[in-house]
Amino acid sequence: MQPGYQTHQEILTQPEAWQQALDILEGNRRDLTSLLLSNYDQVLFTGCGSTYYLSLAAAALYQVCTGQIARAIPAGELLLNKNTILSRSSDKKPTLLIAISRSGSTTETVRAVEQFKAENRGPVIAITNYDHRPLPQMADLSLIIDKGQEASVAQTRSFASMYVTATGLSLLAGNLEKEHQSLRRLPEVGYQIISRYAPLAKEIGENLELDRFYFLGSGIRYGLACEANLKMKEMTLTHSEPFHFLEFRHGPMSMVNPQTVIVGLVSEANAHHESAVLHEMRALGGRTLMLAESHPEAEIQFNSGLSELTYGVLYLPVLQLTAYYRSIAKGLNPDRPNNLSAVVELESL
Ligand code: F1P
């Protein structure tokens, strides 16, 4: 099998896993709703690596949808530094923990959930791609999207399937029924975006003159920028970093040169301020790439007609493909990234 074959197939077929995510949400709607509509001190999302970045994106979206405080924490931190995020007093209202893990076996995530439950902190919802693993066996409710399973180490289809699940969960928690129903359009739009923009992803990915990538995203998109960044790093061994849009001016922009790509996951509400950052980076000689629902300067436009709360997953496929093409152009194998394994299982924890 040629290098990258699995990664490529997983990226191209991911909308079918998005569809299954929507079906799983519908199938668990009653149990999910009763868990989500209880009264919590706070809602916590946790995971590791990609699934921590997913937690960042999901917590921001959950808070916007519900108005309730929601936060994200790496599972290793929840395990070893729980008092930085959990209240000491046990008389507080319970915390809802939403644990996200492709494998359902990552040691930090499993141990953090074990500890959370041992301390009777509150209910646990698992979002994962595998059944019969420690995480779904411990959770009070597990949303298992098996079509998100993948042979490659770097998460692509799996991440997107779990992110769509987290999106639907947030919309349900916020009683945003119209937006929740509109998620049904995502798979069709996903296939359209992949076929329309694969050539652009190939052109940028194969341009090895470019030697550093910055991924800018704010609000509900920051976690997605972090994930796109991790793909670029894992698959291509390229220097890359994620930032909130306006933060990039405060130092990191010193790195911009003609070999730099600044990728903007542009919003609707703040497009003016976000595109201004991209204009300034172009003036410094950097190459920019704008992704947006519909913006005259955006090289990648979704034109989904959906609400901003629902289409976050659409930012991912073209950026996943760009990392894939760059990896191949560099003679690497994105199916087996350097130094990485699909699951981190630690004896010592
Ligand atoms: C978490 C993770 C991935 C990373 C790599 C190693 O796995 O850190 O995010 O890309 O595959 O494992 P999981 O808990 O989501 O299975």
Side-chain angles (χ1 to χ4, degrees), residues 169-220:
L169 179 152
S170 300
L171 294 169
L172 280 178
N175 284 313
L176 298 169
E177 186 57 32
K178 185 167 68 69
E179 290 79 357
H180 186 257
Q181 289 309 320
S182 73
L183 293 176
R184 291 257 157 237
R185 290 214 50 234
L186 282 174
E188 172 204 345
V189 177
Y191 283 120
Q192 289 165 1
I193 287 171
I194 289 170
S195 59
R196 189 182 314 144
Y197 294 112
L200 176 59
K202 191 167 190 295
E203 179 241 315
I204 298 171
E206 291 181 344
N207 179 350
L208 296 186
E209 296 291 305
L210 304 169
D211 75 359
R212 64 193 75 169
F213 286 73
Y214 296 99
F215 296 86
L216 308 186
S218 291
I220 61 175

Side-chain angles (χ1 to χ4, degrees), residues 62-273:
Y62 189 95
Q63 181 157 332
V64 168
C65 289
T66 64
Q68 185 166 25
I69 299 292
R71 296 193 282 174
I73 184 168
E77 288 301 300
L78 180 57
L79 176 64
L80 300 179
N81 294 297
K82 65 186 177 190
N83 292 332
T84 63
I85 198 150
L86 291 171
S87 56
R88 279 230 181 80
S89 51
S90 54
D91 62 354
K92 276 265 186 187
K93 288 182 291 186
T95 294
L96 171 63
L97 178 63
I98 300 172
I100 307 174
S101 172
R102 167 179 63 181
S103 62
S105 302
T106 297
T107 302
E108 295 113 292
T109 309
V110 171
R111 291 291 320 286
V113 170
E114 274 171 359
Q115 178 178 265
F116 185 88
K117 291 197 71 70
E119 294 173 355
N120 292 313
R121 295 280 187 168
V124 176
I125 295 174
I127 300 178
T128 183
N129 298 120
Y130 292 86
D131 201 347
H132 311 301
R133 298 283 178 90
L135 177 62
Q137 282 164 350
M138 282 190 288
D140 298 274
L141 175 63
S142 295
L143 303 170
I144 302 165
I145 305 86
D146 57 30
K147 286 191 183 219
Q149 293 176 7
E150 50 206 355
S152 304
V153 170
Q155 298 193 14
T156 53
R157 176 170 71 192
S158 60
F159 182 97
S161 72
M162 293 187 284
Y163 177 76
V164 168
T165 305
T167 300
L169 179 152
S170 300
L171 294 169
L172 280 178
N175 284 313
L176 298 169
E177 186 57 32
K178 185 167 68 69
E179 290 79 357
H180 186 257
Q181 289 309 320
S182 73
L183 293 176
R184 291 257 157 237
R185 290 214 50 234
L186 282 174
E188 172 204 345
V189 177
Y191 283 120
Q192 289 165 1
I193 287 171
I194 289 170
S195 59
R196 189 182 314 144
Y197 294 112
L200 176 59
K202 191 167 190 295
E203 179 241 315
I204 298 171
E206 291 181 344
N207 179 350
L208 296 186
E209 296 291 305
L210 304 169
D211 75 359
R212 64 193 75 169
F213 286 73
Y214 296 99
F215 296 86
L216 308 186
S218 291
I220 61 175
R221 285 157 300 279
Y222 175 64
L224 300 176
C226 292
E227 168 59 11
N229 172 71
L230 183 64
K231 289 310 88 135
M232 184 56 73
K233 210 177 278 265
E234 284 179 333
M235 290 195 209
T236 77
L237 309 183
T238 301
H239 169 84
S240 62
E241 278 185 276
F243 292 98
H244 294 89
F245 263 97
L246 303 190
E247 275 299 292
F248 194 60
R249 290 196 182 98
H250 297 273
M253 67 184 245
S254 59
M255 295 291 287
V256 174
N257 65 23
Q259 289 72 50
T260 305
V261 183
I262 303 96
V263 179
L265 284 68
V266 172
S267 68
E268 292 173 44
N270 297 317
H272 171 72
H273 302 295

